[in-house]
């Protein structure tokens, strides 16, 4: 039987000896809070939050993250722009795209720019942990 997300995360953290640093990027505060709370269900994460693309890129430039989640549709800077810049700065950092209403074309473009996963809102806890764990376990 395969390990579920939380069990696998615990194993990965034990192997590396420290929690994963995760940046959650979304222009909606409640979405950031939900994903932060998802991460708090396990001690596998240290979480930073960014309220948009500019804030996210400042944080990515200032520190190293093991994973970034980014909303596709944001007002000041699109998630695709944020994704492209993160990949330019840190090509090996996995980026999970989260979207509630993106077209197939935009999702395809996210894949071409280097997104490792796409999650569709609303996101369930088990799906979030499974996708994040899979991205981190690569």
């Amino acid at each position: 039987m395969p390990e579920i997300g939380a069990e696998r995360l615990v194993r990965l953290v034990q192997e590396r000896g420290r929690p994963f640093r995760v940046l959650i990027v979304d222009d909606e505060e409640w979405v950031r809070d939900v994903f932060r709370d998802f991460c708090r269900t396990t001690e596998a994460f240290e979480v930073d939050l960014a309220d948009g693309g500019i804030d996210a890129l400042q944080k990515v430039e200032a520190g190293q993250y093991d994973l970034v989640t980014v909303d596709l549709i944001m007002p000041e800077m699109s998630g695709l722009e944020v994704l492209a810049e993160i990949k330019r700065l840190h090509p090996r950092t996995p980026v999970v795209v989260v979207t509630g209403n993106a077209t197939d074309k935009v999702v395809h473009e996210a894949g071409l720019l280097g997104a490792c996963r796409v999650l569709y809102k609303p996101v369930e806890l088990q799906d979030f942990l499974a996708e994040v764990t899979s991205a981190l376990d690569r």
Side-chain angles (χ1 to χ4, degrees):
M1 173 183 255
E3 291 178 283
I4 60 170
E7 292 170 352
R8 222 161 107 206
L9 273 171
V10 169
R11 180 181 52 80
L12 291 172
V13 168
Q14 288 172 341
E15 288 172 1
R16 74 192 307 251
R18 61 185 168 85
F20 291 101
R21 289 198 67 216
V22 175
L23 177 62
I24 298 169
V25 185
D26 200 294
D27 59 313
E28 296 185 67
E29 182 177 9
W30 72 271
V31 174
R32 292 190 307 270
D33 291 346
V34 166
F35 289 156
R36 182 196 59 224
D37 291 347
F38 282 178
C39 289
R40 287 182 175 168
T41 63
T42 174
E43 294 182 10
F45 301 109
E46 292 176 0
V47 178
D48 283 336
L49 305 174
D51 62 7
I54 294 169
D55 185 25
L57 293 178
Q58 289 172 342
K59 289 181 179 185
V60 167
E61 288 174 352
Q64 183 69 35
Y65 291 95
D66 297 302
L67 179 123
V68 178
T69 71
V70 63
D71 186 20
L72 273 185
I73 311 298
M74 297 185 290
E76 66 183 22
M77 184 179 206
S78 80
L80 291 178
E81 293 171 307
V82 176
L83 168 61
E85 187 62 14
I86 290 170
K87 286 303 193 174
R88 186 187 71 75
L89 294 167
H90 301 285
R92 297 181 57 100
T93 299
V95 178
V96 175
V97 168
V98 182
T99 185
N101 55 0
T103 65
D104 289 342
K105 179 182 176 187
V106 172
V107 170
H108 179 72
E109 189 172 347
L112 293 175
L113 289 171
C116 64
R117 298 276 189 270
V118 176
L119 291 174
Y120 293 91
K121 295 176 186 176
V123 178
E124 298 290 326
L125 170 62
Q126 288 180 313
D127 295 334
F128 178 84
L129 290 177
E131 293 298 334
V132 166
T133 301
S134 179
L136 290 167
D137 200 16
R138 293 175 114 190

